[in-house]
Amino acid sequence: LFSRGQDPPAIVAVLQGANRTTNYHMFDMTRGVLTSKLSKKSGNYMGKLRSNFKKTENCLYTNNSTKEEVASIVFERPNIMAQLKEGSQPRKLHILLPHHDKNGCPIPVMNDNTYDKRDVKSQILQQAADGDDQFYQLETKEPVFENGNYRLNFHGRVTIPSVKNYQLTSVNDIHEVICQFGKVGEHRFHLDYKFPLNAFQAFAIALTQFSL
């Protein structure tokens, strides 16, 4: 992740190879130097993003030794019959975020689910399913179908069509875009975000697009 396209990168995500599920370790490069040996002991480790085995549920954890969750990212994947009937559909995301403390920092949710290297279970998602409404809820904005294509208005910030492109809105106001991500080059994307997201959370949501 580059801030306004300038070097050096602000955040670097490193995909961990020896895992059955997608697992990114993320590092704050404003507090470190980009080397080939980034690890949890580097001093700038921010946390990790892990998916479940089906890659439909993702958890974002802080760098705390205990499992502290600061985002739950869920893909709504249509079943085979729906895909055959309606064709390829835009990806649908549902995001749950904890509220903030007086300093504007997300208040982590302790994840006490039994650790399993093969899968993850979101404590935030579980609490929301149990009726806890103390979370920010974001979801993908529905695109408009025009001339055989799905379209979103990125106001010039996105220039290349891609299945990875998305806009996120609050469930309470579908007209206000909180975050948008889209392709502008062969290996370049623009990522815009604002409160209640921070850079760590917004970048993690974008990373999930590359796991499907």
Side-chain angles (χ1 to χ4, degrees):
L1 176 66
F2 293 85
S3 178
R4 302 185 184 278
Q6 298 178 348
D7 287 334
I11 303 176
V12 167
V14 180
L15 181 63
Q16 306 301 297
N19 290 269
R20 293 187 64 185
T21 62
T22 304
N23 183 3
Y24 286 98
H25 286 187
M26 299 169 68
F27 301 88
D28 180 359
M29 301 315 299
T30 66
R31 298 190 294 112
V33 178
L34 184 58
T35 69
S36 60
K37 296 182 180 180
L38 289 172
S39 70
K40 290 183 178 180
K41 298 179 181 179
S42 299
N44 60 341
Y45 174 65
M46 301 177 70
K48 63 183 177 181
L49 174 70
R50 289 202 63 202
S51 75
N52 65 355
F53 188 73
K54 294 180 179 180
K55 300 182 180 180
T56 54
E57 185 178 317
N58 299 264
C59 294
L60 181 63
Y61 301 106
T62 69
N63 59 2
N64 200 300
S65 57
T66 58
K67 291 177 67 179
E68 294 182 342
E69 196 176 338
V70 288
S72 173
I73 307 159
V74 179
F75 282 97
E76 181 183 324
R77 181 170 288 178
N79 59 41
I80 298 298
M81 292 303 297
Q83 293 184 55
L84 292 174
K85 181 179 179 181
E86 302 177 11
S88 179
Q89 299 293 302
R91 295 174 176 178
K92 293 184 179 181
L93 279 170
H94 300 277
I95 317 295
L96 290 170
L97 307 169
H99 279 249
H100 296 75
D101 61 21
K102 61 181 180 180
N103 297 316
C105 298
I107 302 172
V109 174
M110 293 295 299
N111 188 317
D112 55 5
N113 289 309
T114 303
Y115 183 74
D116 185 348
K117 290 185 177 181
R118 297 169 297 176
D119 216 340
V120 298
K121 293 182 179 179
S122 168
Q123 184 66 32
I124 291 178
L125 188 62
Q126 184 174 314
Q127 289 182 203
D130 291 339
D132 188 343
D133 60 357
Q134 298 302 305
F135 299 105
Y136 295 110
Q137 298 184 52
L138 307 179
E139 61 185 12
T140 42
K141 187 174 183 178
E142 289 289 339
V144 176
F145 190 73
E146 292 180 346
N147 300 322
N149 295 296
Y150 289 98
R151 300 180 184 275
L152 288 167
N153 186 0
F154 289 95
H155 300 282
R157 289 288 291 162
V158 175
T159 56
I160 299 176
S162 172
V163 69
K164 297 179 176 66
N165 298 350
Y166 63 80
Q167 290 180 323
L168 297 176
T169 64
S170 167
V171 296
N172 299 316
D173 185 356
I174 62 172
H175 301 292
E176 181 183 12
V177 176
I178 304 297
C179 177
Q180 62 181 20
F181 177 76
K183 195 169 186 178
V184 295
E186 185 176 358
H187 301 295
R188 293 180 63 241
F189 293 79
H190 277 165
L191 173 63
D192 303 321
Y193 63 91
K194 62 182 180 181
F195 185 88
L197 287 168
N198 59 26
F200 180 46
Q201 294 166 320
F203 187 35
I205 295 169
L207 285 173
T208 64
Q209 296 294 312
F210 299 89
S211 300
L212 294 178

